[in-house]
Amino acid sequence: MTPPPNDPSPDHSGPPAGKPARWTSGIFRSRYREVTWEAIVFGVVIGVIMNAAITYSGLKIGFTIGGSAIAAVLGWGVLRGLLKKGTIVETNLAQTVASTVNTSNSGVIFTVPVLFLLGLQAQIDVVWLIAACMAGATLGVAFIIPTRKQMIDLERLRFPTGTAVASVLRSPGEGVAKAKVLLLGILVSMVVFFFTQSQDVFGFGYASLGIPGVDNETIDVAHWIQAAGLPWHPSMQFTWAIAPFALGAGFITGRPGLVVLAGGLLAGFVITPLAYEWGWIPPEVGAEAAGGWALANMNKPLGIGLLMGGALVGLLFAFPAIGAALKSMRAASAKGDSDELPLSVLYASIGIAFVVLFLAANATLAEGSMGQAALIALVGTAWMWFAGIVIAQCTGMTDWSPISGMALLTVMICLVLTGNHVISAVMIGAAVCVSITECADMMQDLKTGHLVGGSPLRQQFLELCVAWIGPGVCLAVVYVLAKNNMDSFGVYFGEGTTSPAPQAAALEGAIDGIRGGSAPVSLYAMGGVLGAMLSFSGIAGLGVLVGLSMYLPLMYLLPYGLGCLVQMTLARAKGAAWTESWGVPFAAGMIVGEGLLGVIFAIVKVLGGGA
Amino acid sequence: MKSGISNWLLVIGVIVGALAAAGSKKAYRWVELDPSVDLSGEVLYETVEFQRVEGEKPLLIAEGGAALDATVVTRLTNSNFERIRVRHPARDAETVPIAEAEGRVLAHAVTVEGETDELRQGRIVTADLVLRAQEAGVESIRVKRGAEDDSQARALLTAEPPLPAREGDPRDERYWGRDPKSKNYVPLSGPDANLKDLVLAETIELPRRLKQNSFLDAERLALLQRQGLEQVDVSVHVPFDWNGWTQRWYFLASIGIIGAAIALKRGSRDEAVSSDGGTPAAALHGALEELVRESARLAETASKLDAEALHAAIDPIHSGALYRLVEGKDSAQASLGLIGYAHVYGPLATGERMLNRAWSAAVDGYVEEARECAERAAPHFAEALSAWPKS
């Protein structure tokens, strides 16, 4: 055990003797290295780099990668390895800052490029777009203050990535054997995941093996079943994603995650084949394509409805507990003993965000009234809170967050509020999406902080200080890329450029559909009723979990469910404590390994590497 | 027993409800083959056959997609069909006058004559670009593949089979080689098409095109009107029809089934808590008492322990009483109710975080911090115990 480099000043994370201190007084003073300039600078620099790289790759390949695990590993290497003075909680803070700066990219790239695709770029008021996104990011952080206690202390959601990051940070104290298990998990994950991505870069992958049914990223088990002459309905897709991350997340979630698998099976193995057999799916859609059709037209809208209905009733049920948590926060705050940001910060953030959203809506709504702008700002602010809680809950329960579905729903609501004014709708939608991604990310980091003993007050304070940076960085990348694409290809984004912005292109199609009146509102409503009913069952998060699983592609839910089953089997065979003690580090390694290699491959692809 | 039944009811309710909801999106509706009903404009959903004698080849009455005209209706009624499935909507698209198209979406892409898009050199060649060029009558475009200096190659857009270059052809073979073996032969369409890494080697202009599914706002409609278009194909959207949703009663039944499951579940939970002697709650209370004792002992001795000893002393608390309490949170919530649970598990979580901090500080060698956090954890656990209801 290394002796501390310094241990002089008293810790101010708790109350000093005498009169209550201001809540800011203890943030920077601590005898245990936690809030340091090294951690902040490292976090901001890594966050900016990751944000720019992931924004670029996200516009190119269509999905983003979470930065927490990478930031934790890098933070560990730099603060503890190179600078020789990083502590566990300091690295947690550095990783928190980095992921806060990084995480807003999915909110921006799923929405803002739509305006370019629709040819509305000249009408964007960039200043207000940036201001709205920054306000969204700040509010996303602030909204977490009253819900941290609910989700982490009371609901004790697992947040698989947050737990995995904590495993990485705690590894020096867990003993050599557990560190080896963690490293083994990382290694196994990287080897398994490597061949899913290597085709484009090295010219070979799993598909090169020439095994029927095996593609670079998936294994089609239905193909094997049919090849063996066993009965199988052709509309039932039984494809497994080669995703060690999903396996690890399922393992960490354990038994509660089985509901996710069950929902996926309901969508893929019950609704789809029956809808096909009963002729609900148009005859021209073949059996092989039936799964995709049913997902897009039935299961996904129904899943979004279930998710929202389940979350809404779950939230109503949680109000008494949230009230109790707020009461204890107020009491602690009055005594000067609070370990959270005070509620006044939340109220101030809500006020500022409302004003910014109001001004932004007012500036972009050419023919709108002040009342309409105020309504948009009010609903936008309330929706940020609700949608942020939904996303944080999904992430906490499964590690998946339905950002694209929420973006669609958000833009739909904003279109209704703005009277189909696309620019305002997308701008407010972008602010909301940035806000909810911040919520989910921050909750992951706070979970990590809880597990390593970090101070929520310090984490929240620093997140509040740096949250605005992220939207600025990714919007800058979006605009630079747009200009570059215009110079090179004659178009800003989309087909024919190196940045097809697939998620935004999908949203563009959805916006046209919504404006044309084809949004599946009836399915949202029916799903909402079912989700609400399920939340009355008393099984925590049932409506949300079933909804999420009907929304996600089954190929990722299968390895996730396998992870849950492996955890349950091990817990039965070796005991729950043994499984927690030895299984979780390995599962954490699986999550971290894929995340690390995913970023490396994304960078290689962005730099133009390819066979 | 009740719990098992309620779980099964919940599963059945969800399956029935989800299926019934999905049924609202079915792509057909039933129509009665009643001579008094006007079926003009309806389209058969699927191919209809009639088997007069078992074992014989069925007789084709009409192909799926056929219009339900008088002949088809007569054939169907003669074959004893009383009702039949028709497409809903009958057509995916309809043609409407431009003046009525505002607020609809384009069913197909529309080429806007007279206005062009500039597709710059370096633009990636996609299947859509090839299609647009072909529609515009472009025979070939200059392309290059990746970093290869192949910019003199011309890619053929015509679907004609490749022809050998003719002697005396004024066109340079390098440009126009139609021999598949020539490196300059770049098929852009058909089975041999390979667009990977292909970019335009020169800037071209193609007629502007409104994409399929484009929303028709006033500006776009004005553009189409300027082309002299009087009509346009728009997608048909079917609004939700309560009466047409034949599965609605199943959906309502599923709500009833889920409701029954919830009632059973709540009943069985109350029963378990009251008659079961509150076994889980008693065990959890015992675990909390144990946690309070152990954390108090740690707090008392912390000042005498070094970092390594502190680290070793915290581990058993984590994996012992604290672990059992965390694992039993659902039972605790059922026993204590939401508010009671929040009063116990709130301070418990704060104490747990303090203990985690003590552990981390001990691992990092910050012994004073570790000692202080170990001492500060104990009162939180005691607070949790005091919040546990006495009865």
Side-chain angles (χ1 to χ4, degrees):
Chain A
M1 203 165 289
T2 322
N6 57 352
D7 199 359
S9 62
D11 188 284
H12 282 262
S13 58
K19 66 172 184 178
R22 277 180 59 82
W23 61 269
T24 46
S25 65
I27 286 176
F28 291 97
R29 281 184 291 161
S30 168
R31 71 171 143 235
Y32 185 25
R33 282 183 66 90
E34 192 165 10
V35 181
T36 61
W37 286 112
E38 291 94 323
I40 295 169
V41 170
F42 167 84
V44 171
V45 170
I46 290 296
V48 167
I49 292 169
M50 282 200 304
N51 190 337
I54 294 174
T55 301
Y56 185 27
S57 66
L59 287 166
K60 193 168 177 169
I61 58 182
F63 58 90
T64 57
I65 302 152
S68 285
I70 299 119
V73 172
L74 288 174
W76 204 232
V78 173
L79 297 174
R80 203 170 177 103
L82 290 178
L83 301 178
K84 306 278 182 207
K85 50 190 178 182
T87 67
I88 293 173
V89 288
E90 183 185 6
T91 314
N92 172 226
L93 260 179
Q95 159 253 319
T96 299
V97 170
S99 60
T100 305
V101 173
N102 161 56
T103 203
S104 51
N105 45 40
S106 53
V108 168
I109 67 169
F110 284 14
T111 52
V112 175
V114 170
L115 296 174
F116 290 90
L117 291 171
L118 289 168
L120 300 170
Q121 66 287 336
Q123 298 169 49
I124 306 172
D125 192 326
V126 183
V127 174
W128 283 117
L129 177 65
I130 294 172
C133 288
M134 285 180 175
T138 308
L139 200 57
V141 173
F143 273 146
I144 284 304
I145 298 170
T147 36
R148 188 201 73 83
K149 269 193 182 296
Q150 171 63 20
M151 288 193 189
I152 292 174
D153 288 2
L154 302 179
E155 285 187 51
R156 305 192 69 93
L157 299 180
R158 284 293 262 172
F159 288 97
T161 294
T163 305
V165 170
S167 284
V168 171
L169 297 182
R170 286 167 64 101
S171 56
E174 296 282 15
V176 177
K178 278 191 192 169
K180 279 183 182 171
V181 171
L182 176 74
L183 283 174
L184 183 67
I186 293 175
L187 195 68
V188 168
S189 174
M190 286 177 116
V191 170
V192 171
F193 188 65
F194 178 84
F195 295 102
T196 67
Q197 303 294 307
S198 55
Q199 184 78 51
D200 289 345
V201 183
F202 299 104
F204 61 88
Y206 286 115
S208 312
L209 296 172
I211 301 170
V214 176
D215 207 343
N216 282 324
E217 296 182 39
T218 56
I219 299 170
D220 185 2
V221 178
H223 178 90
W224 295 348
I225 294 171
Q226 285 169 318
L230 297 170
W232 188 261
H233 197 282
S235 72
M236 295 196 317
Q237 292 176 346
F238 198 27
T239 304
W240 291 61
I242 305 173
F245 151 80
L247 197 69
F251 188 96
I252 291 177
T253 310
R255 195 167 189 274
L258 277 186
V259 177
V260 178
L261 179 62
L265 295 179
L266 167 67
F269 286 4
V270 177
I271 294 178
T272 301
L274 285 179
Y276 182 76
E277 281 301 315
W278 291 341
W280 292 356
I281 297 172
E284 64 271 17
V285 179
E288 279 72 25
W293 192 94
L295 180 68
N297 293 283
M298 294 172 167
N299 296 327
K300 223 170 186 173
L302 202 53
I304 292 177
L306 269 152
L307 191 71
M308 303 311 289
L312 188 64
V313 172
L315 194 63
L316 293 177
F317 273 121
F319 266 137
I322 292 176
L326 286 176
K327 208 172 155 187
S328 77
M329 281 171 69
R330 273 192 219 102
S333 199
K335 284 193 288 180
D337 189 20
S338 179
D339 49 10
E340 314 262 358
L341 279 179
L343 291 175
S344 54
V345 174
L346 170 68
Y347 303 143
S349 302
I350 292 172
I352 293 166
F354 174 82
V355 170
V356 172
L357 289 187
F358 168 76
L359 293 173
N362 197 44
T364 50
L365 274 174
E367 292 155 14
S369 64
M370 298 271 273
Q372 193 183 12
L375 180 70
I376 292 166
L378 188 70
V379 175
T381 308
W383 182 252
M384 276 183 197
W385 176 63
F386 176 61
I389 288 178
V390 174
I391 292 282
Q393 209 171 18
C394 290
T395 314
M397 289 193 280
T398 64
D399 229 24
W400 275 303
S401 54
I403 299 285
S404 56
M406 294 305 285
L408 174 63
L409 214 53
T410 302
V411 172
M412 194 175 94
I413 291 169
C414 293
L415 279 171
V416 172
L417 289 174
T418 56
N420 275 344
H421 193 278
V422 177
I423 297 176
S424 300
V426 172
M427 191 174 72
I428 303 293
V432 173
C433 289
V434 166
S435 168
I436 60 183
T437 51
E438 285 289 354
C439 273
D441 173 77
M442 195 174 154
M443 209 58 108
Q444 288 268 26
D445 296 335
L446 286 168
K447 175 71 181 184
T448 308
H450 180 89
L451 293 172
V452 301
S455 156
L457 172 68
R458 290 173 179 144
Q459 279 184 284
Q460 289 166 354
F461 177 78
L462 285 188
E463 290 198 321
L464 209 55
C465 291
V466 300
W468 61 274
I469 300 173
V473 172
C474 53
L475 281 169
V477 173
V478 166
Y479 270 85
V480 168
L481 263 182
K483 189 185 176 302
N484 186 48
N485 284 345
M486 182 42 101
D487 292 346
S488 307
F489 308 114
V491 280
Y492 291 106
F493 291 108
E495 265 202 290
T497 71
T498 49
S499 328
Q503 294 282 4
L507 188 61
E508 180 201 7
I511 287 175
D512 280 339
I514 292 165
R515 294 168 85 195
S518 64
V521 178
S522 57
L523 274 184
Y524 292 154
M526 290 175 210
V529 171
L530 283 178
M533 290 295 291
L534 288 181
S535 283
F536 277 106
S537 69
I539 301 172
L542 186 60
V544 174
L545 285 175
V546 174
L548 185 64
S549 57
M550 289 184 71
Y551 167 89
L552 292 167
L554 183 62
M555 65 178 182
Y556 290 105
L557 300 179
L558 291 167
Y560 179 85
L562 180 65
C564 301
L565 290 171
V566 170
Q567 190 273 352
M568 287 166 65
T569 310
L570 264 183
R572 191 165 287 180
K574 307 283 276 183
W578 186 92
T579 308
E580 185 77 13
S581 188
W582 294 99
V584 168
F586 186 80
M590 300 281 269
I591 293 174
V592 174
E594 182 173 329
L596 279 173
L597 204 57
V599 168
I600 293 169
F601 268 111
I603 291 170
V604 170
K605 284 176 189 174
V606 163
L607 294 176
Chain B
M1 178 66 180
K2 267 188 184 177
S3 170
I5 294 171
S6 64
N7 284 342
W8 277 111
L9 282 177
L10 214 53
V11 171
I12 292 166
V14 173
I15 292 174
V16 173
L19 267 173
S24 70
K25 277 289 177 187
K26 65 181 183 295
Y28 67 83
R29 66 186 179 92
W30 288 98
V31 292
E32 299 295 325
L33 293 171
D34 186 335
S36 63
V37 179
D38 179 19
L39 296 174
S40 59
E42 299 291 0
V43 173
L44 263 187
Y45 185 62
E46 62 215 320
T47 299
V48 182
E49 292 175 332
F50 180 63
Q51 189 149 27
R52 268 185 293 196
V53 182
E54 204 174 316
E56 257 187 27
K57 196 181 168 195
L59 187 72
L60 176 73
I61 295 178
E63 296 272 5
L68 209 58
D69 55 19
T71 319
V72 174
V73 172
T74 309
R75 273 198 225 158
L76 286 165
T77 46
N78 288 346
S79 306
N80 298 329
F81 282 93
E82 290 177 355
R83 58 184 200 143
I84 197 80
R85 296 203 285 196
V86 294
R87 278 181 180 275
H88 187 55
R91 308 272 177 211
D92 293 335
E94 62 181 347
T95 306
V96 295
I98 288 280
E100 294 171 21
E102 187 159 2
R104 309 286 294 270
V105 294
L106 270 183
H108 319 289
V110 174
T111 301
V112 182
E113 301 296 338
E115 296 205 21
T116 54
D117 283 335
E118 190 185 68
L119 278 63
R120 291 191 193 161
Q121 177 187 347
R123 182 167 170 146
I124 295 165
V125 178
T126 61
D128 186 58
L129 187 152
V130 172
L131 195 68
R132 280 180 71 183
Q134 281 173 333
E135 281 175 3
V138 177
E139 263 196 3
S140 67
I141 48 177
R142 275 179 56 202
V143 294
K144 62 177 183 176
R145 198 180 292 281
E148 209 176 303
D149 184 18
D150 197 17
S151 59
Q152 297 305 301
R154 276 194 174 264
L156 297 179
L157 294 163
T158 52
E160 295 166 33
L163 298 170
R166 287 170 300 182
E167 202 175 332
D169 194 327
R171 296 171 297 187
D172 187 341
E173 199 261 344
R174 272 168 61 79
Y175 284 64
W176 294 94
R178 288 189 174 187
D179 180 358
K181 288 175 193 158
S182 159
K183 73 167 191 164
N184 294 327
Y185 173 68
V186 187
L188 294 185
S189 55
D192 298 329
N194 175 11
L195 305 182
K196 192 174 187 303
D197 298 333
L198 214 59
V199 298
L200 290 178
E202 66 184 355
T203 298
I204 58 171
E205 284 194 349
L206 291 177
R208 199 175 155 199
R209 206 163 61 136
L210 287 182
K211 283 188 286 189
Q212 183 186 11
N213 291 330
S214 293
F215 178 74
L216 292 173
D217 53 17
E219 191 184 331
R220 282 176 178 160
L221 282 175
L223 182 69
L224 294 176
Q225 272 172 326
R226 282 203 299 275
Q227 304 303 305
L229 280 179
E230 290 176 0
Q231 294 179 317
V232 66
D233 286 348
V234 293
S235 296
V236 174
H237 161 59
V238 184
F240 175 68
D241 174 16
W242 170 259
N243 290 322
W245 181 28
T246 48
Q247 289 78 22
R248 60 189 182 277
W249 302 116
Y250 292 101
F251 185 78
L252 294 176
S254 76
I255 302 295
I257 295 170
I258 296 173
I262 293 165
L264 269 176
K265 228 171 184 25
R266 288 184 179 271
S268 64
R269 191 184 305 156
D270 294 344
E271 224 170 65
V273 172
S274 57
S275 68
D276 182 26
T279 318
L284 290 172
H285 189 258
L288 186 53
E289 286 178 324
E290 184 186 328
L291 179 62
V292 170
R293 275 197 307 275
E294 284 180 9
S295 61
R297 194 177 307 133
L298 178 68
E300 277 170 25
T301 54
S303 58
K304 297 167 201 147
L305 300 176
D306 64 10
E308 207 160 337
L310 265 167
H311 175 208
I314 294 168
D315 269 341
I317 302 177
H318 267 138
S319 56
L322 188 55
Y323 178 76
R324 294 204 297 281
L325 279 160
V326 170
E327 286 291 292
K329 73 177 174 67
D330 291 334
S331 307
Q333 207 171 65
S335 308
L336 303 172
L338 271 179
I339 303 274
Y341 171 80
H343 285 145
V344 174
Y345 272 68
L348 181 80
T350 309
E352 180 193 10
R353 188 160 43 76
M354 277 297 146
L355 211 55
N356 289 340
R357 188 177 179 85
W359 186 95
S360 295
V363 168
D364 285 327
Y366 286 77
V367 68
E368 283 306 314
E369 177 77 8
R371 284 174 184 152
E372 190 187 308
C373 289
E375 285 164 8
R376 285 176 57 193
H380 292 290
F381 295 135
E383 187 189 339
L385 184 61
S386 67
W388 194 287
K390 295 287 178 277
S391 54

